[in-house]
Amino acid sequence: MQKIVGLTGDEAVAYAAKQSSVDVVAAYPITPQTVIVEQFAQYVANGEVHTEFVCVESEHSALSACIGASLTGARVFTATASQGLALMHEMLYIASSLRCPIVMAVANRALSAPINIYADHSDMMGSRDSGWIQVYAEDAQEAYDWTLQAFDIAEKDNVMLPVSVNLDGFTISHSMEGISVLEDDAARKFLPPRPISYIVDPDRPITIGAGNNPEYYFEFKRQQEDALRRSSKAVLETARKFGAISGRKYGVLDTYGLEDADVAMVGLGSCMGTVIEAARRLRKKGAKVGAIKLWLYRPFPERELLRTLEGLKSLVVLDRSCSFGAPNGALCSDILSTLYSTNLKLKISNVIYGLGGRDMTVPMIEAIYRRALRQKKQPLKRDVRFVGVRE
Amino acid sequence: MSHKPGWRELPIGGHLYETGSSLKYKTGSWRTFRPILDRAKCTRCLLCWIYCPEPSIKRTEDVVEIDYDFCKGCGICAAECPVKAIQMVEER
Ligand code: SF4
Ligand code: SF4
């Protein structure tokens, strides 16, 4: 039996971390992630968990402590956002290369300057090549569900990689929803204690993080890339297992209305709820539109995505960050390069939206759909538009 | 070592499960200046032994010796020696 509780996205993530029997949390508060660690600290203070909570002086130290703890075999959780994630940047690569199955919630927030505390994906997109598995939640329920699933994915023998669970700042992190939560027992059964791969034992010393010269470094990067690419299978396995106990179906992506759609919109995070609402309204009026919500961004789910694109005439790619100086937004670049090796011929346009928490409303999305429905030919120039910005 | 393992054969994350790998890695080839010890001047105060970062100064019963397999030629020993018993000489 699951009960429904009123929780904000941040609280839901903290609740999931609590139910995941985390051994160590090392974190530093930053808006809009603060409530996650605040709430978790409360669990520790109340004696509801037996977690070692390490208060550190910065995000760089937070992730460093997490890496150390994870390497001893502990289950480790942390959370951050924006500038905090940027400060972790150096350690992000070390966590993934040392193959630490850390789970980190990122309450996505714009990067300075100018300083802004509201939602966009610039923070995680700036770290998209750091070797982490990256999932994006659409709402607080998904943030809860993905946090639980993230540990199961990360700790699999053939994965052993960190996972970031992304939830849009404020839109998800601070909005309260009725959330179905698992019973503690069910969560424990889904997520037994982390299997011990090795223990730190003075009688059997091992070396971690040894220097590698040109003769070896490349092999470790190749190995890491292989593990990350293959982890999408682990994501599907975990989703199946989680579906069986929760009744909620996850995977690498979700679709809406694609059976007969001519035009679809693809994107990440909270905006996809609005997109689906706009698509629903248009479909009522007979427009053949659909939506693709990517849960998994890294590894990029090429195969599954291509399957959803068959039969479409046009695809609008929503990017909630700006890849300065690049031909397209980050997600759009990924999709274009995925399409290049296929013979799918569909029009692709890119929309940059929502920077620094700028609202993307149903009418705005309807207008984007209508434009795509009208468009007959792929423009020869790149088709990138900034939607919602004042001209 | 002639055969170097491919990426599939290596332990994940570059973790080393056996100790002493640094012994196999002879850093002496990095050296451009070679410390030469003058035994006649040496008072065996062991300051060089304390300061050598490698450590490549070996102490035996009555003398100190430089292990050229690992000495990187940093010159710290020569700088620290109070009686100037170590000279840095360019490798050729
Ligand atoms: S030159 Fe440097 S490495 Fe070599 S013996 Fe002296 S202190 Fe040690
Ligand atoms: S520091 Fe000089 S005197 Fe002292 S042990 Fe070394 S070489 Fe000899």
Side-chain angles (χ1 to χ4, degrees), chain A residues 183-203:
Chain A
E183 295 285 341
D184 288 351
D185 274 351
R188 253 194 301 275
K189 236 177 103 196
F190 171 72
L191 208 59
R194 179 179 159 191
I196 293 175
S197 37
Y198 57 80
I199 47 171
V200 179
D201 176 0
D203 290 331

Side-chain angles (χ1 to χ4, degrees), chain A residues 89-216:
Chain A
H89 195 69
E90 176 187 5
M91 304 317 292
L92 290 174
Y93 285 74
I94 297 179
S96 59
S97 336
L98 290 181
R99 309 296 293 274
C100 300
I102 297 165
V103 172
M104 171 162 71
V106 180
N108 302 108
R109 161 185 152 183
L111 288 171
S112 297
I115 191 164
N116 172 297
I117 57 168
Y118 298 99
D120 77 31
H121 297 154
S122 311
D123 51 4
M124 198 64 227
M125 284 298 164
S127 293
R128 69 179 189 275
D129 290 343
S130 60
W132 284 54
I133 296 171
Q134 295 157 39
V135 294
Y136 281 80
E138 185 199 310
D139 53 26
Q141 179 73 62
E142 290 192 3
Y144 167 84
D145 291 338
W146 275 117
T147 304
L148 281 167
Q149 294 181 87
F151 288 102
D152 190 60
I153 297 163
E155 293 170 4
K156 280 191 184 16
D157 257 1
N158 56 355
V159 177
M160 292 294 280
L161 287 168
V163 180
S164 76
V165 177
N166 292 270
L167 57 151
D168 285 341
F170 294 101
T171 322
I172 308 179
S173 71
H174 284 61
S175 304
M176 189 167 287
E177 288 174 35
I179 296 180
S180 293
V181 296
L182 299 180
E183 295 285 341
D184 288 351
D185 274 351
R188 253 194 301 275
K189 236 177 103 196
F190 171 72
L191 208 59
R194 179 179 159 191
I196 293 175
S197 37
Y198 57 80
I199 47 171
V200 179
D201 176 0
D203 290 331
R204 287 186 305 141
I206 65 168
T207 305
I208 289 167
N212 269 220
N213 282 345
E215 305 102 303
Y216 279 96

Side-chain angles (χ1 to χ4, degrees), chain A residues 123-366:
Chain A
D123 51 4
M124 198 64 227
M125 284 298 164
S127 293
R128 69 179 189 275
D129 290 343
S130 60
W132 284 54
I133 296 171
Q134 295 157 39
V135 294
Y136 281 80
E138 185 199 310
D139 53 26
Q141 179 73 62
E142 290 192 3
Y144 167 84
D145 291 338
W146 275 117
T147 304
L148 281 167
Q149 294 181 87
F151 288 102
D152 190 60
I153 297 163
E155 293 170 4
K156 280 191 184 16
D157 257 1
N158 56 355
V159 177
M160 292 294 280
L161 287 168
V163 180
S164 76
V165 177
N166 292 270
L167 57 151
D168 285 341
F170 294 101
T171 322
I172 308 179
S173 71
H174 284 61
S175 304
M176 189 167 287
E177 288 174 35
I179 296 180
S180 293
V181 296
L182 299 180
E183 295 285 341
D184 288 351
D185 274 351
R188 253 194 301 275
K189 236 177 103 196
F190 171 72
L191 208 59
R194 179 179 159 191
I196 293 175
S197 37
Y198 57 80
I199 47 171
V200 179
D201 176 0
D203 290 331
R204 287 186 305 141
I206 65 168
T207 305
I208 289 167
N212 269 220
N213 282 345
E215 305 102 303
Y216 279 96
Y217 181 86
F218 203 172
E219 277 67 32
F220 288 113
K221 295 298 114 179
R222 178 68 188 86
Q223 193 186 62
Q224 203 184 327
E225 162 66 359
D226 183 65
L228 185 59
R229 300 287 302 185
R230 282 189 296 119
S231 68
S232 62
K233 235 189 190 158
V235 173
L236 292 170
E237 267 167 43
T238 296
R240 264 195 299 279
K241 186 171 130 191
F242 187 75
I245 59 155
S246 67
R248 292 187 288 280
K249 220 173 131 272
Y250 286 95
V252 299
L253 53 79
D254 201 12
T255 63
Y256 171 76
L258 286 194
E259 329 63 74
D260 61 351
D262 289 332
V263 172
M265 228 178 263
V266 58
L268 304 160
S270 64
C271 183
M272 293 317 291
T274 321
V275 168
I276 290 167
E277 176 56 26
R280 192 174 292 142
R281 291 189 196 177
L282 286 175
R283 288 178 71 85
K284 271 203 201 127
K285 296 178 198 154
K288 292 188 170 169
V289 295
I292 304 160
K293 168 173 78 180
L294 295 184
W295 276 312
L296 187 64
Y297 180 61
R298 284 291 183 269
F300 196 68
E302 292 144 39
R303 201 145 35 104
E304 292 81 359
L305 180 68
L306 283 177
R307 236 177 272 144
T308 66
L309 299 183
E310 265 165 51
L312 283 177
K313 294 198 178 95
S314 168
L315 180 71
V316 182
V317 186
L318 302 177
D319 266 293
R320 200 169 191 174
S321 67
C322 187
S323 186
F324 298 106
N328 296 277
L331 178 58
C332 191
S333 292
D334 288 328
I335 290 176
L336 284 170
S337 68
T338 303
L339 279 169
Y340 188 75
S341 55
T342 69
N343 44 25
L344 285 178
K345 286 276 165 279
L346 63 166
K347 295 189 284 289
I348 303 286
S349 57
N350 192 194
V351 165
I352 314 283
Y353 76 99
L355 301 192
R358 179 65 52 87
D359 257 348
M360 179 80 141
T361 62
V362 171
M364 284 160 79
I365 294 167
E366 285 186 71

